[in-house]
């Protein structure tokens, strides 16, 4: 009965989507075959380069940077340092999103993990309210690859419980020297090797907050709303935080950048900006590294 209410175009779209999902494994096999052929071509070309003269020196990691400022694969940091900071992705909005938005959120969560994993200074990463269609997608379409992710926790409970657990995660970092943006950090006159900062906080990041985040603090937890809704539910993250009595703040993008067009930060953008700040200690540079060039963002002169 429900199918008869669908238009012809809708039925075609559903059919195309079903065919796309059905052929997923075949596409994966084709990609692997192309990669195998490419490796064979590279290996076959190596003897020729030796016989034709001296080879060019290998490119060092510092020689190459992507057009968007991102590091190429060979420049990943192998000896990254985990700092006592936690980012929680609040994914408790399953009932407010359409299927295609769940798909987008899964991609954003994956990007959050990847960006943090490759960074020189890592945060503790938690995915709260992990269930429903999001978990189903990770378990099925994405082949359960998330089960092998390192230094990330998937939590069925909400962001409040996740924040409580985060305190325990960060205790393991106590007694270690703070690095990155925390190198010269001193709180209440104590050095950066202190075991008890006493300045930890839990902050829900939302653009509707009247307060602006000026810095990240050691042993603190920052919650990012995992919601893809094309602005249908404006202000819901702020209300969610206020209802639970949490402190809120917004990233200082307006203080540092002039945008050529309206720009909405996706979940992975917010996470990566904070990870970048921990590396650079400068919001302006962090925004430049993350905000897509097509958005025309430039640093303000002051």
């Amino acid at each position: 009965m429900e199918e008869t209410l669908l238009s012809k175009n809708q039925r075609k779209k559903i059919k195309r989507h079903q065919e796309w999902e059905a052929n997923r494994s075949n596409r994966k096999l084709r990609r692997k075959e192309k990669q195998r052929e490419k490796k064979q071509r590279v290996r076959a070309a190596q003897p020729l380069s030796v016989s034709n003269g001296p080879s060019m020196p290998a490119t060092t990691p510092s020689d190459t940077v992507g057009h968007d400022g991102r590091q190429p694969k060979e420049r990943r940091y192998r000896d990254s340092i985990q700092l006592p900071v936690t980012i929680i992705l609040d994914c408790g909005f399953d009932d407010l999103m359409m299927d295609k938005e769940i798909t987008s959120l899964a991609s954003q969560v994956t990007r959050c993990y990847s960006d943090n994993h490759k960074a020189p200074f890592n945060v503790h990463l938690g995915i709260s309210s992990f269930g429903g269609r999001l978990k189903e997608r990770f378990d099925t379409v994405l082949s359960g690859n998330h089960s092998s992710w390192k230094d990330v926790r998937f939590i069925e409970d909400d962001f409040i419980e996740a924040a409580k657990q985060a305190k325990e995660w960060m205790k393991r970092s106590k007694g270690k020297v703070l690095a990155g943006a925390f190198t010269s950090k001193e709180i209440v006159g104590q050095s950066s090797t202190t075991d008890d900062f006493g300045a930890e906080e839990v902050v829900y990041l939302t653009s509707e907050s009247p307060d602006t985040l000026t810095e990240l603090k050691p042993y603190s937890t920052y919650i990012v709303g995992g919601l893809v809704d094309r602005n249908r539910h404006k202000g819901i993250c702020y209300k969610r935080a206020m209802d639970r009595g949490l402190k809120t703040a917004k990233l200082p993008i307006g203080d540092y950048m002039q945008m050529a067009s309206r720009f909405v930060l996706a979940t992975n953008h917010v996470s990566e900006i904070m990870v970048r700040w921990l590396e650079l200690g400068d919001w302006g540079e962090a925004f430049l590294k993350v905000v897509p060039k097509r958005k025309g963002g430039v640093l303000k002169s002051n």
Side-chain angles (χ1 to χ4, degrees), residues 6-221:
L6 298 176
S7 67
K8 184 177 181 180
N9 286 336
Q10 289 174 321
R11 291 197 297 272
K12 286 183 178 179
K13 184 179 294 186
I14 292 174
K15 183 179 180 181
R16 285 197 301 270
H17 178 72
Q18 291 172 340
E19 291 174 348
W20 173 267
E21 293 294 341
N23 290 318
R24 181 176 295 274
S25 59
N26 292 333
R27 292 196 302 275
K28 186 176 181 180
L29 289 174
R30 287 198 296 270
R31 284 197 300 270
K32 286 187 176 181
E33 183 61 32
K34 287 182 179 179
Q35 291 173 354
R36 193 178 302 111
E37 292 175 354
K38 183 178 179 180
K39 289 180 180 179
Q40 291 174 349
R41 289 196 300 269
V42 171
R43 284 196 294 268
Q46 286 176 347
L48 294 176
S49 63
V50 173
S51 61
N52 289 339
S55 59
M56 295 297 290
T59 302
T60 61
S62 59
D63 291 335
T64 55
V65 176
H67 70 279
D68 58 354
R70 297 183 183 276
Q71 298 164 347
K73 289 183 178 180
E74 60 269 19
R75 198 182 173 187
R76 292 176 183 171
Y77 297 90
R78 295 183 179 179
D79 300 322
S80 58
I81 299 173
Q82 188 166 59
L83 299 179
V85 177
T86 298
I87 294 178
I88 300 291
L89 306 182
D90 173 17
C91 297
F93 302 96
D94 191 273
D95 59 327
L96 300 180
M97 290 184 285
M98 296 182 285
D99 287 341
K100 63 180 181 180
E101 292 167 343
I102 292 290
T103 299
S104 295
L105 178 60
S107 298
Q108 292 180 19
V109 170
T110 301
R111 186 60 177 270
C112 290
Y113 165 73
S114 177
D115 290 334
N116 183 53
H117 182 66
K118 297 174 186 175
F121 303 103
N122 310 138
V123 302
H124 295 270
L125 185 63
I127 319 297
S128 66
S129 298
F130 186 63
R133 289 174 294 163
L134 180 64
K135 183 178 185 301
E136 180 182 358
R137 180 168 181 82
F138 271 103
D139 288 341
T140 56
V141 176
L142 300 181
S143 305
N145 291 329
H146 65 291
S147 60
S148 63
W149 290 1
K150 298 179 180 179
D151 301 319
V152 59
R153 281 91 164 177
F154 292 88
I155 306 159
E156 293 183 5
D157 295 317
D158 69 5
F159 59 95
I160 295 293
E161 178 59 31
K164 292 178 181 177
Q165 294 184 27
K167 292 182 179 180
E168 298 299 320
W169 310 339
M170 292 184 286
K171 278 184 180 179
R172 302 169 190 170
S173 300
K174 288 192 174 184
K176 298 181 180 179
V177 176
L178 296 181
F182 293 153
T183 299
S184 59
K185 191 72 176 174
E186 294 186 3
I187 300 178
V188 197
Q190 297 178 338
S191 70
S192 61
T193 58
T194 183
D195 276 353
D196 187 11
F197 281 92
E200 62 270 12
E201 57 185 6
V202 178
V203 181
Y204 203 121
L205 296 175
T206 166
S207 60
E208 285 79 21
S209 176
D211 300 316
T212 301
L213 190 69
T214 57
E215 63 177 352
L216 303 185
K217 296 181 179 180
Y219 303 103
S220 294
T221 297

Side-chain angles (χ1 to χ4, degrees), residues 259-279:
M259 304 301 298
S261 61
R262 181 175 177 273
F263 178 59
V264 178
L265 292 173
T267 300
N268 59 290
H269 290 140
V270 177
S271 176
E272 186 184 2
I273 287 168
M274 288 191 286
V275 170
R276 289 285 190 174
W277 184 89
L278 291 170
E279 173 191 354

